[in-house]
Amino acid sequence: MAVRSTILAIASGIVLCGFCLSQQATVEKVPIGHTSPASAQQMYVAYCAACHGKDGKGGGPAASALKVAPPDLTTLAQRNNGVFPRDRVYATINGQAAVSAHGSKEMPVWGRLFESVDNANSWTLLRLKNLTDYVESLQAKR
């Protein structure tokens, strides 16, 4: 009887572990879609909202699959003595600033992504500027 209970407990544990593993969040990789360099909101939704959320507060659909929770982008200025850290945000989007939560400099280096979808460097610069401006527009008002 004890052997039967032990086998049942082990089998139940294996089934439970399998269920738990199947419930882990996965992030689906999708091809790069083209967005307008003039539409910062469209770029934000396409490239940032999956992790940072459409509202910028860090609750995007992929956030639960990350090892480090994405920061609340709406409080960047607040956390920087009331001044929006424009250069730091620009460098982060471009991939010049190291952000441990983003992993290696290969992910996400949106500057490189933008270069891959744009033929002219001026479009890449416009994308970076507009996306930085958009993140600034998300800042919480005091």
Side-chain angles (χ1 to χ4, degrees):
M1 188 70 160
V3 172
R4 188 175 192 186
S5 296
T6 304
I7 292 172
L8 182 59
I10 291 171
S12 297
I14 291 171
V15 169
L16 182 59
C17 286
F19 175 76
C20 290
L21 289 174
S22 71
Q23 298 303 307
Q24 287 181 338
T26 58
V27 178
E28 183 179 336
K29 292 183 180 182
V30 295
I32 298 169
H34 182 74
T35 56
S36 169
S39 178
Q41 183 175 12
Q42 184 185 44
M43 287 187 293
Y44 179 86
V45 169
Y47 307 124
C48 310
C51 296
H52 292 284
K54 287 184 181 180
D55 61 0
K57 294 184 183 233
S64 65
L66 303 175
K67 291 180 182 177
V68 177
D72 182 344
L73 298 179
T74 68
T75 62
L76 292 172
Q78 179 183 350
R79 292 182 277 135
N80 194 48
N81 298 317
V83 178
F84 180 70
R86 172 172 289 285
D87 292 341
R88 189 174 79 218
V89 170
Y90 184 96
T92 300
I93 296 168
N94 194 28
Q96 295 168 344
V99 177
S100 61
H102 287 174
S104 72
K105 287 186 67 77
E106 298 304 316
M107 191 286 161
V109 181
W110 298 120
R112 290 185 187 162
L113 178 138
F114 296 153
E115 288 170 1
S116 75
V117 296
D118 295 330
N119 293 329
N121 194 35
S122 60
W123 289 116
T124 300
L125 296 175
L126 179 64
R127 285 180 186 277
L128 293 167
K129 179 203 174 299
N130 288 345
L131 196 47
T132 301
D133 290 346
Y134 185 76
V135 173
E136 183 174 20
S137 78
L138 295 176
Q139 298 311 290
K141 308 299 181 227
R142 289 188 189 203

